């Protein structure tokens, strides 16, 4: 995989791209936080969106993260 790096506002975005150029990420940077959609997270971890939803629901259920603030 080819690694492309772009630096803006002291944040770093790293994008890995296959030779067929199949993966592309557009991210939103706010202060020290990178925001991805559930679909983007699924692609990043090579899984399906329902798996990400399940993990997020477990995180909210255990109060590891407050849904209101995320």
């Amino acid at each position: 995989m080819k690694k492309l790096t772009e630096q803006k506002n002291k944040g770093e975005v790293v994008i890995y791209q296959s030779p067929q150029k199949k993966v592309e990420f557009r991210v939103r940077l706010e202060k020290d936080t990178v925001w991805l959609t559930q679909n983007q997270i699924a692609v990043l971890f090579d899984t399906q969106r329902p798996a990400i939803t399940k993990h997020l629901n477990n995180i909210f259920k255990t109060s590891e993260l407050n849904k209101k603030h995320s």
Side-chain angles (χ1 to χ4, degrees):
M1 294 206 128
K2 184 177 179 183
K3 180 179 176 181
L4 307 172
T5 304
E6 179 181 342
Q7 219 170 350
K8 286 186 178 181
N9 299 328
K10 297 183 183 180
E12 185 177 329
V13 177
V14 180
I15 302 169
Y16 290 93
Q17 186 176 55
S18 74
Q20 296 80 23
K21 301 184 185 292
K22 287 192 175 185
V23 176
E24 177 183 331
F25 278 96
R26 296 177 189 269
V27 298
R28 187 177 73 190
L29 298 171
E30 286 184 18
K31 298 182 184 178
D32 293 332
T33 305
V34 175
W35 294 92
L36 298 173
T37 66
Q38 288 184 22
N39 286 330
Q40 290 172 317
I41 295 168
V43 170
L44 180 64
F45 289 100
D46 193 26
T47 190
Q48 300 296 313
R49 186 179 172 275
I52 302 303
T53 301
K54 178 182 176 182
H55 287 290
L56 288 174
N57 285 333
N58 286 336
I59 289 169
F60 296 135
K61 225 181 269 185
T62 61
S63 300
E64 184 178 339
L65 185 64
N66 186 328
K67 194 172 189 173
K68 181 179 177 182
H69 300 313
S70 57

